Every structure is written in C-alpha cells, then in structure tokens.
Amino acid sequence: MASTPPLATPAAQPDPAPANAPATAQRLLQLARETLLIEAQALHDMAARLNGRFAEAVLRMLACRGRVVVSGMGKSGHVGRKIAATLASTGTPALFMHPGEASHGDLGMITSADVLLAISNSGESEELSAILPLIKRMGVPLLAMTGRPDSNLGRHADVLLDTSVAKEACPHNLAPTASTTAQLAMGDALAVALLDARGFKAEDFARSHPGGALGRKLLTLVADVMRPAEQAPRVGLQASLPELMREISAKGLGATAVVDADGVPVGIFTDGDLRRLIERGADLQSLTAALVMHPTPHTVRPQALAVEAAERMETHRITSVLVVDEAGRLCGALNSHDLMRAKVI
C-alpha cells in the first residue's frame, strides 16, 4: 500500500559530529527536530498501512479467555512492558514475559487460554525464536509486531502487525528510535481499540488506579470525607447571635447550619456574614439566626461523588456545603479543606 504524503519534508540529516566536537545549540535543536519529524512520519506511514489484520488482532485479544502475554527482547522488551501495563490498566488482563527467562521456566506463565503478543523489530530475536515452536505446539495464538514481515517471527505469526519504519532517527540509522516509537504507538492503538470494544469507562479506569488523581476523583464519595453529624455545626431558628458565634468557633467549619425542628437545614450563617454585620454596626444582641441566615443553603447527599461537591463549591464560590440524608436532615458537613486533605482537589 502506498504511503500518504509526508507530514513534513525534513532537511537532510546532519552528518555525525566529529569526536569531541563542541555541541552547539543550533546542532542540538536541528537533531531534535529531525528526530521528531522522522518519528512522526513513521507513525503517519504506519497508520496508512493499517488493514484488517489489526482488527483481527484486536478480536483475538478480545476473545482471549486468559491473558495477553507480551514478550520482547532488549528495547522491544522495554516497550512490551509498557504495552502490557497499558492493556492491564484499560481492562485487558495482561503480563510481560521475558523471552530469555521463558526458556528457563517462565514459559509456564502461558496457558492455552492466553494470547502471545511477541515484539521484535528484526523478527529474528534468538530468545523469541527459541520459544516459538513451543508456543505453536500449545495452540496459543501468536500475534507478532515486527518491522520485517518476512522474518522468522513474521512467518510464524497467526496475525502480523507491520511496524516497519523507513529509517531510525539515529544519525547512524542504528539505535532503535523510530522503530520503538512505532511499536509503542501500535500497542497504544491496540489498547484503545480494546477498551472501546469492551465498553471500558472512566469509572473502570479509576478502579484500577485508586491511588491516582483520577481514582480519587471518581471513587471518593462525600461520605468518605465529610465531617460526621456530631461535628456538623447547627443551631435552631431562634438561636441568638452569640450562640451562632460559639457554634462556629466550636466546630471549626467557618459556618453553621440553621435547622428547623426536624433537623432540616433551612439556612446557613458564615463568619463572613458576621464580619459584615459588625461592619454595618448592627445590634448583635437583638439578632437571631432566622434574621441573619442565608436561606436555601447548598446541600449534597453522602452518596454523591466528592468531586461533585467540589464543583458545586467552585461554581457558587463557597467554601462549604451541608450534607443531608434522604429525608433532608443534616447528617454532616464538608468544606474545601476536607477535600484538599483527601486530595480530591
């Protein structure tokens, strides 16, 4: 298949610098740009070559009842570890098997229910070649990612993914650069196609990343971080201003809920409201909670995501919300400091 027009026309790659030649900023930038252009073009060409074999590879992995076992030697092995990790974190059970160790017992990692994704740019890796006959004898589907379709690996593959590149970004055309970028990108393409086919959602991703920022945002509930009912400040409608002040100070939220006889929040009063009353010269002794509160306070349920409470605070430019149960009764409180401690924001 003919490749699409180049993304850009790179200038001729500079000749290797003489030994001990000083590195100039101009040369360093030129090499960096050439590297990026060569690798971008390699991915562009690979995308144009994609055909039904890619879809077949995805379907084989999707139908796998066991795990996708990824294997590769050297730089391809490093790429393979990343591909296995990406697959595992996006809903496809996967592991990496070192092909050298496989010949010394680790081949026992593979079962007949698995699929093997073997990666080798040359397709002639001795360590991989040594285990291919055993893989075929076990009846394990072999998916190959190689830059030489006519190689030993390519000929043994049940499904071949062509990751060949026109040239490496290395000025000597030796160090694996564009070829490993192509392998990595093909692995990402497989993972993305698989997660879409599985209906994998952000919530599923968060479950495999509970310690990450996304996991905290998508898994942390208000109930996990809120202050419980006994720590939630509250006063009745007829409470005096000094009572409001004492409750705010005692609970340390910077505000207090004003509740009716059933414990349902009907208003809120903050320390900012108190400062504004003092600035206006109001008669503090004569005021009650019913007279100074803000009606219809913002509330959330304990089962809501903590990130939703954070978004509400940001939208309404407030620092705390009241937590209410299904009957609308006050059962907790939450402020921005609670969310920051939980690393939700």
Side-chain angles (χ1 to χ4, degrees):
M1 180 183 293
S3 63
T4 55
L7 293 175
T9 304
Q13 218 172 10
D15 293 329
N20 301 320
T24 64
Q26 181 180 2
R27 178 177 177 78
L28 296 175
L29 289 171
Q30 182 182 2
L31 284 168
R33 293 190 179 103
E34 288 299 322
T35 298
L36 297 177
L37 287 172
I38 288 169
E39 297 194 2
Q41 185 63 50
L43 299 186
H44 192 61
D45 292 344
M46 188 171 67
R49 291 196 306 268
L50 280 181
N51 53 30
R53 286 180 295 188
F54 177 85
E56 184 181 352
V58 171
L59 292 175
R60 293 263 190 150
M61 296 166 83
L62 193 62
C64 175
R65 294 178 292 106
R67 298 152 303 177
V68 175
V69 179
V70 186
S71 192
M73 197 68 191
K75 302 299 185 294
S76 295
H78 295 310
V79 171
R81 290 181 189 277
K82 190 273 178 185
I83 291 174
T86 299
L87 290 171
S89 70
T90 52
T92 298
L95 59 85
F96 177 80
M97 180 189 70
H98 191 288
E101 299 295 336
S103 294
H104 298 276
D106 281 6
L107 196 60
M109 292 180 177
I110 303 181
T111 72
S112 59
D114 297 331
V115 167
L116 177 65
L117 174 61
I119 308 172
S120 171
N121 186 45
S122 69
E124 301 293 346
S125 166
E126 292 183 8
E127 293 83 358
L128 273 177
S129 295
I131 65 173
L132 292 183
L134 296 170
I135 294 298
K136 301 299 287 187
R137 190 180 306 164
M138 293 170 64
V140 174
L142 173 61
L143 314 181
M145 194 183 292
T146 180
R148 288 182 51 197
D150 61 345
S151 63
N152 184 50
L153 177 59
R155 291 192 301 271
H156 278 85
D158 295 303
V159 183
L160 173 66
L161 297 174
D162 182 0
T163 55
S164 58
V165 298
K167 61 179 178 178
E168 299 287 6
C170 166
H172 305 290
N173 198 32
L174 294 174
T177 45
S179 58
T180 48
T181 297
Q183 293 169 353
L184 188 64
M186 183 66 81
D188 286 342
L190 289 169
V192 169
L194 281 164
L195 74 86
D196 182 73
R198 294 183 190 281
F200 193 81
K201 299 180 177 61
E203 291 81 0
D204 301 312
F205 186 85
R207 291 188 187 97
S208 60
H209 297 74
L214 180 61
R216 287 191 293 272
K217 288 184 178 181
L218 294 180
L219 298 179
T220 303
L221 303 179
V222 168
D224 298 326
V225 296
M226 74 179 192
R227 304 179 186 206
E230 62 272 15
Q231 297 178 22
R234 72 185 75 198
V235 297
L237 284 163
Q238 299 307 313
S240 66
L241 203 59
E243 289 177 303
L244 268 72
M245 295 166 59
R246 283 193 295 270
E247 185 69 0
I248 291 174
S249 298
K251 300 297 175 62
L253 190 68
T256 181
V258 180
V259 299
D260 64 15
D262 297 320
V264 175
V266 292
I268 191 169
F269 182 77
T270 70
D271 50 11
D273 296 326
L274 175 61
R275 288 194 300 271
R276 285 183 283 274
L277 286 174
I278 295 173
E279 289 171 358
R280 292 203 305 265
D283 182 4
L284 303 185
Q285 295 298 324
S286 65
L287 298 175
T288 63
L291 296 174
V292 297
M293 71 180 188
H294 290 285
T296 60
H298 294 284
T299 62
V300 294
R301 293 287 183 83
Q303 296 76 25
L305 289 173
V307 69
E308 293 177 1
E311 290 170 356
R312 179 171 297 188
M313 291 183 196
E314 183 177 353
T315 299
H316 297 284
R317 298 183 178 181
I318 57 178
T319 59
S320 60
V321 292
L322 304 177
V323 186
V324 297
D325 60 20
E326 293 182 359
R329 295 184 295 265
L330 184 69
C331 65
L334 183 69
N335 73 0
S336 55
H337 296 294
D338 301 323
L339 295 171
M340 285 190 284
R341 277 194 294 271
K343 297 183 179 179
V344 174
I345 57 175

